Amino acid sequence: MQNPHGVREFLRLNDIMRDELLKNPVFAMAAEQFDKVADFLDLSDELRERCKWPKRLITVTVPVRRDDGSTELYFGHRVQHHLTRGPVKGGLRYHPAVDLGEVAALAMWMNWKCALMDLPYGGGKGGICCDPRNMSIAELERMTRRFTMEMIPFIGPETDVMAPDMGTNEQTMAWITDTYSTHAGHLEPAIVTGKPLTLQGSAGRTQATGHGVAFLASSALNKLDLPVRGSTAIVQGFGNVGSHAAQTMASYGMKVIGISDVNGAIWNPEGIDVKALKAYEIEHRTVVGFPGAEPVDPAKMLTEPCDVLAPCALDRVIHGDNAGQLQCKILAEGANGPTTPEADRIIDARGDIFVIPDILCNAGGVTVSYFEWVQNLQRFQWTEREVITKLETRLHASFEKVVGFAQRNNISQRTAAQAIAIKTAADAKAARGMFP
């Protein structure tokens, strides 16, 4: 006989889990985007629920022996949104603000990104709530190796493939590769991407995301019949994505007039020497104080006139309070979720900004990660020129697909990109059916 009390308790726990995820503003934002697109696609209730909520939410404790002999306990998360179309793919970040809701949102966006780019992956994301700036290399290594061991039952080249993200890098991926390979008893390079070249990493992986942002910004300029050479750009963030985006834009002949990082922002209407700035930033660990530019308020910088505005750092930096003040022609979203739904409504109503949505604009990283994974599985290496050429070919095809879909359906390019992606994932789920 069925236990009605047990059924009610199960349903109550389901509601609690959904509510906890939705309390996170980043996940709530991703869920709102999903609901809007699901309405547009007229998804059935069954497919809507199966496509929206993640398949697995994994949280582990990660005890770490500090250099002074003390032990500190960290919480690590990994969310696997769907494995319907293949193993999940997504970054691992080390940051004090990491929590399960944020990771779940990023996994959802990654699921859409892989579907939009026609990569044989689902979306995944992971993170450890810590401050890597206050940890030694030895402490980071011990934390990474312990986290990897805790994840062993849930990861693998055909299950979950991690990559670098905020606060992690190719060295982090090397430690994961070594830990997993030691457990497996043989080298398994396909367990992660973004590895050093000495461990069968891929040429072109480090600059892939930033290069893609700049490439698509130039594609948008061409679409608007604006010259690339001499056009102006503002880049928020000078980490891996922002710095490579700025460098590639400069190589195209664009003038990067404003750049910011976590410490502040700099401005030069004649164009910033990005190569010199990178050397300065490596030495001083900030763009602030660079002699080739003047200081500017970071918030004000976002609303200055420019051809291309590229937010390449944090989520929700374009919001209801500043969306109406933007003076860019193109919004190239190098970060994940930089524009809130409220800001989207304002930008859509304005109709004068060409938006390259995040799941397209920053897809260069996961695309080249796919190339690295394929090379690892085949034990075959491509040249950097081959990698970048293949990347640009895929980005251009997806760009044209999104722009064309948006025009045919009279919808925003964000809705178009998400609709293409979510329908791809939903169709795969419908085709596979539900077991048992």
Side-chain angles (χ1 to χ4, degrees), residues 186-268:
H186 61 270
L187 175 64
E188 187 49 85
I191 184 58
V192 295
T193 58
K195 301 178 297 296
L197 291 175
T198 51
L199 289 176
Q200 300 180 36
S202 176
R205 173 60 184 87
T206 302
Q207 69 266 39
T209 307
H211 182 91
V213 172
F215 174 78
L216 289 173
S218 69
S219 299
L221 287 166
N222 289 329
K223 186 70 70 175
L224 297 176
D225 292 325
L226 296 172
V228 175
R229 182 167 294 276
S231 63
T232 57
I234 293 172
V235 179
Q236 186 206 36
F238 204 64
N240 180 61
V241 178
S243 63
H244 283 106
Q247 290 176 73
T248 304
M249 287 175 181
S251 74
Y252 291 164
M254 298 170 66
K255 288 198 304 183
V256 183
I257 57 177
I259 295 177
S260 68
D261 66 10
V262 68
N263 298 301
I266 57 173
W267 183 265
N268 185 340

Side-chain angles (χ1 to χ4, degrees), residues 54-272:
K55 180 180 180 65
R56 294 175 184 154
L57 300 101
I58 305 157
T59 298
V60 297
T61 53
V62 186
V64 177
R65 185 82 66 191
R66 301 300 296 259
D67 291 342
D68 63 5
S70 64
T71 299
E72 191 156 351
L73 196 70
Y74 298 94
F75 284 91
H77 309 287
R78 188 73 183 170
V79 174
Q80 298 170 347
H81 197 265
H82 286 299
L83 290 101
T84 306
R85 301 178 60 253
V88 299
K89 188 80 190 70
L92 173 68
R93 59 175 50 183
Y94 294 168
H95 192 272
V98 165
D99 66 22
L100 189 60
E102 177 198 51
V103 172
L106 294 167
M108 189 191 301
W109 283 326
M110 181 60 81
N111 194 44
W112 303 345
K113 193 179 305 182
C114 292
L116 177 65
M117 296 302 296
D118 199 24
L119 305 178
Y121 292 135
K125 204 72 174 185
I128 299 178
C129 184
C130 67
D131 189 348
R133 296 170 299 181
N134 295 331
M135 300 177 71
S136 69
I137 293 296
E139 290 169 341
L140 288 170
E141 179 177 0
R142 290 193 287 270
M143 182 175 71
T144 300
R145 291 182 181 275
R146 181 58 185 255
F147 177 73
T148 304
M149 285 304 300
E150 297 292 345
M151 287 287 111
I152 288 286
F154 309 104
I155 61 175
E158 297 292 346
T159 307
D160 187 333
V161 182
M162 298 190 201
D165 200 281
M166 189 185 304
T168 60
N169 52 32
E170 66 176 23
Q171 179 60 72
T172 315
M173 298 302 106
W175 291 328
I176 294 175
T177 301
D178 182 67
T179 306
Y180 186 89
S181 297
T182 300
H183 175 79
H186 61 270
L187 175 64
E188 187 49 85
I191 184 58
V192 295
T193 58
K195 301 178 297 296
L197 291 175
T198 51
L199 289 176
Q200 300 180 36
S202 176
R205 173 60 184 87
T206 302
Q207 69 266 39
T209 307
H211 182 91
V213 172
F215 174 78
L216 289 173
S218 69
S219 299
L221 287 166
N222 289 329
K223 186 70 70 175
L224 297 176
D225 292 325
L226 296 172
V228 175
R229 182 167 294 276
S231 63
T232 57
I234 293 172
V235 179
Q236 186 206 36
F238 204 64
N240 180 61
V241 178
S243 63
H244 283 106
Q247 290 176 73
T248 304
M249 287 175 181
S251 74
Y252 291 164
M254 298 170 66
K255 288 198 304 183
V256 183
I257 57 177
I259 295 177
S260 68
D261 66 10
V262 68
N263 298 301
I266 57 173
W267 183 265
N268 185 340
E270 300 304 315
I272 295 168

